[in-house]
Amino acid sequence: MALRIDPDTRLLVLTGAGVSAESGVPTFRDANGLWENHSIEQVATPQGFEDDPALVWRFYSERRRKAASVSPNPGHATLAGVEARMDDRFLLVTQNIDGLHQRAGSRRVIEIHGSLFRTRCDTCDREPFADEREHVAAPACDACAAAGRKGRLRPAVVWFGELIDPEILREIGGFLSEAHRQRLVFLAVGTSGAVYPAAGLVLEARAAGGETWLVNAEPAENRGAFHHFVQGPSGRILPELFEWA
Ligand code: BJW
């Protein structure tokens, strides 16, 4: 089955953990929702950070180390190549925080769940900053300390129960609504379709008249919302998926 791209096509791609699986980054589902016997909720929620910030930093420090040691795979490379051909008719929304799309050459990338390589304060509104260090405990925020507050640094990622930056959602909505006189295609890759609002993007694309494709190792929870499903590993499927008209 081929996904045809012609000069009139706009393509919105959503990726999840599965796209990085062949690079050696474990998915959330692979780990059965567990990390060192802790549930994902314990390490990826504001309450988890409140309860045990050191545990949460160990989890993200390990992932920083792992992500820095792996390389993009042919799935990432294919999406970077598609962007190079489509330019502003292409937008990639990734739920991944591992930076592998950017390392493969993708530039039109929205990191909807943040980045593993940025840190922010849990209290003040200082800008998130680049940070590759591995922390074993939550460092104090120096900006807060200077103002007599007790802010702690945390990974600049979006945990369960936290809001996605509304500006990001507006940008995605803008890309969908600009497609009114063009052919809109939505492609989801390597995602279980279980976590919202990302899992709802397919319905937004359909409401905008889009044709919807899913490439995944298994049927995603929202598989029924897709017109086309190609089952298999994205590192093998994506390089063969596109047909250029
Ligand atoms: C392969 C493969 C290969 C393997 N090739 N495929 C509407 C309905 C119900 C609930 C909600 C709702 N709206 C909001 C909620 C609550 C919640 C939510 O969605 N809960 C669900 C669990 C039901 N959402 C939120 O809290 C969001 N916030 C929000 O909406 O705020 C407003 C609000 C708050 C509270 C209540 C209501 C509204 C925020 C969600 C943030 C998610 N954050 C995480 C952590 C980010 C940082 C980090 O990475 O540590 O994001 S959780 C985790 O899940 C991570 C992932 O990005 C995300 C999605 O996982 P993904 O990528 O799909 O991975 P897997 O492992 O689940 O699946 C991998 C897939 O790949 C599998 O299918 C494999 O088969 C496949 N695969 N190898 C191709 N080689």
Side-chain angles (χ1 to χ4, degrees), residues 17 22 28-29 60 63 113 158 161-162 191-192 196 216 234:
E22 289 151 272
F28 293 88
R29 286 288 187 278
Y60 282 94
R63 290 176 64 196
H113 292 162
V158 181
E162 294 188 313
T191 177
S192 55
Y196 289 82
N216 212 53
S234 50

Side-chain angles (χ1 to χ4, degrees), residues 156-168:
V157 300
V158 181
W159 286 325
F160 283 117
E162 294 188 313
L163 292 179
I164 310 272
D165 179 355
E167 185 52 43
I168 281 184

